[in-house]
Amino acid sequence: MRAAFFKEHGGADKINYGDYPDPVPGADEALVRVRACALNQVDMLLLDGRFPPPEGLPHVNGCEVTGTVEGWGASVSGLTKGQRVVVFPGFSCGRCEYCLRGERTVCLRYGYLGAHKDGGYAELVKVPAANLLILHDAISFEAGAAIPLAMLTSWHALVAQADVRPGQTVLVHAAGSGIGSAAIQIARLAGARVITTVGSDDKVEFAKSLGAERVVNYREADFVDEVRKWTGKRGVDVVIEHIGGETFEKSVYALTRLGKLISIGSHDTHWGRLDLRHVYQKDLHVIGTNLGSILELQQVLDHVVAGALTPVVDRTFPLSNARAAVQYVLDRKNKGKVLLVP
Ligand SMILES: [Zn+2]
C-alpha cells in the first residue's frame, strides 16, 4: 500500500509518501480501507519526538479514521466487505483492574490508533474489530473522520467529567482547534454559555458561528481579564484546557468557586504550574480526562446525524501531500479539522 510515514523525528519535511507494508489483520482484527483520516496535535508530538511511537520507527500517524471494511481475521464475525465504518481510536486490554471496573480509558495497557500502532495516514489500516462502529450514510467520510478523537474527548470532558449544566459558563481555549470547535458546540448543546480564545482575528467570526458568546484574541487581550469582565468578576464554572504552560496556570484564575479545570491535553508543553491557594480556598476541581467510551462515541455520532453537532472540517489534502497538511497544522492555520484522503 501507499502511506505517509516517518523514519526519523523532526518537522513536516520528515514525512515520506511511498510504499509501506500492507497491514495483516490478526484473528480479532479488521482491515479498513481508509477513506479519510484527520490530523491531530498528538500526531505532531509523535513526529517531533516529544511522544515517540512506542513501537519505534518507521511509523504511520493518524488516529481518526473512516473507511470501508476490506477484510477481517478468523475470529471476527458480523462484518461485510465495503461496509462504511468509523474507528474508535482507543485500545484497552479488557483484563486489568481498570478495564474490569469498566474504566477502559485508564487501562494499564491503553493505546491509541496512530500512536501505539500504525494509523490512518495510509490506504489501509488494521484495528480490533470491536473498535468499529457503523458510519451512518448521513455522515460523509470526511465529516466522520473529524469526530472520533476531538469530538469524543470534548464530549467526555464536558458531559461526563465537568457535568456541565444549563446556565453555567465555560471557557474553551483555542476555538480553531479540533477540541475547541467541538467543545464550544457541546457546551452550547448542554445549555451553557461559552467564552473562547483565538490566536488571530480571522477566527473570531468562526468561533461565534460555533456558538461562542464572547471571543478573546489571546495575543491582544488577557483571557483572565476578559473572563472577569464577561462574568462580572465571578469567573467561569468550567475551563476546557488543552494547551499547558502559562495557559494552564492562568486558567485557575478564570474559575469561580467550586469551578472545574478540565485538563484534556498539553499541546504546547506537558508542564503547568498551579497556584494551590486558589485550588483549596475556592474548592476547585482539577480533573484529567482521556478520550471517552465507545458508547459515548456512538452518542456523538447520533447527535451528528440528528444535526445537533457538526464536525468542523477546514481542509482536505491528498494523502500524497501529507507533508503540506502537517505543515498547515503546525502553522496553526486551521479552523477545525484538517484531513488526508488517499
Ligand atoms: Zn486494561
Side-chain angles (χ1 to χ4, degrees), residues 72-145:
W72 50 85
S75 307
V76 177
S77 60
L79 295 179
T80 314
K81 187 163 179 183
Q83 218 169 4
R84 301 172 89 248
V85 289
V86 55
V87 180
F88 175 75
F91 306 137
S92 50
C93 75
R95 301 186 309 275
C96 73
E97 174 191 342
Y98 302 97
C99 282
L100 294 175
R101 278 165 57 174
E103 302 286 353
R104 284 178 171 250
T105 59
V106 286
C107 169
L108 291 176
R109 299 172 194 89
Y110 204 71
Y112 287 101
L113 177 67
H116 299 80
K117 302 283 180 193
D118 280 343
Y121 290 20
E123 291 174 330
L124 295 167
V125 67
K126 66 172 180 177
V127 298
N131 283 44
L132 296 183
L133 288 175
I134 300 296
L135 182 66
H136 193 286
D137 287 338
I139 306 177
S140 69
F141 287 113
E142 289 80 5

Side-chain angles (χ1 to χ4, degrees), residues 34-286:
V34 179
R35 294 293 301 271
C37 177
L39 277 68
N40 270 282
Q41 287 299 327
V42 67
D43 303 3
M44 310 306 150
L45 305 182
L46 289 152
L47 175 62
D48 70 21
R50 277 180 287 167
F51 174 26
E55 290 198 339
L57 302 180
H59 179 75
V60 179
N61 274 341
C63 41
E64 293 183 289
V65 172
T66 54
T68 53
V69 173
E70 184 75 13
W72 50 85
S75 307
V76 177
S77 60
L79 295 179
T80 314
K81 187 163 179 183
Q83 218 169 4
R84 301 172 89 248
V85 289
V86 55
V87 180
F88 175 75
F91 306 137
S92 50
C93 75
R95 301 186 309 275
C96 73
E97 174 191 342
Y98 302 97
C99 282
L100 294 175
R101 278 165 57 174
E103 302 286 353
R104 284 178 171 250
T105 59
V106 286
C107 169
L108 291 176
R109 299 172 194 89
Y110 204 71
Y112 287 101
L113 177 67
H116 299 80
K117 302 283 180 193
D118 280 343
Y121 290 20
E123 291 174 330
L124 295 167
V125 67
K126 66 172 180 177
V127 298
N131 283 44
L132 296 183
L133 288 175
I134 300 296
L135 182 66
H136 193 286
D137 287 338
I139 306 177
S140 69
F141 287 113
E142 289 80 5
I147 294 172
L149 202 82
M151 292 197 93
L152 173 58
T153 305
S154 295
W155 178 277
H156 184 67
L158 282 158
V159 177
Q161 302 287 55
D163 192 22
V164 68
R165 295 301 171 95
Q168 288 194 319
T169 46
V170 179
L171 166 62
V172 174
H173 286 294
S177 65
I179 291 283
S181 58
I184 293 170
Q185 293 184 63
I186 293 163
R188 294 288 295 136
L189 186 65
R193 295 166 57 213
V194 176
I195 183 169
T196 190
T197 62
V198 292
S200 58
D201 285 339
D202 66 318
K203 292 182 179 174
V204 171
E205 284 310 311
F206 169 76
K208 286 185 176 171
S209 73
L210 296 172
E213 188 176 307
R214 183 115 161 200
V215 184
V216 182
N217 183 336
Y218 65 82
R219 295 182 201 277
E220 293 173 358
D222 183 273
F223 72 81
V224 176
D225 289 345
E226 295 301 312
V227 164
R228 286 193 181 128
K229 281 185 214 162
W230 184 61
T231 58
K233 297 185 183 173
R234 175 185 181 272
V236 290
D237 296 290
V238 176
V239 179
I240 297 297
E241 210 294 293
H242 51 118
I243 314 295
E246 191 185 329
T247 307
F248 177 86
E249 182 175 345
K250 287 170 64 180
S251 290
V252 168
Y253 305 126
L255 281 169
T256 189
R257 284 149 208 283
L258 302 171
K260 293 173 181 169
L261 174 53
I262 311 290
S263 174
I264 193 172
S266 50
H267 298 147
D268 268 359
T269 164
H270 298 326
W271 309 104
R273 295 196 310 175
L274 208 47
D275 186 335
L276 298 174
R277 294 169 300 175
H278 283 255
V279 176
Y280 60 73
Q281 286 173 359
K282 295 186 194 167
D283 260 20
L284 300 182
H285 302 246
V286 180

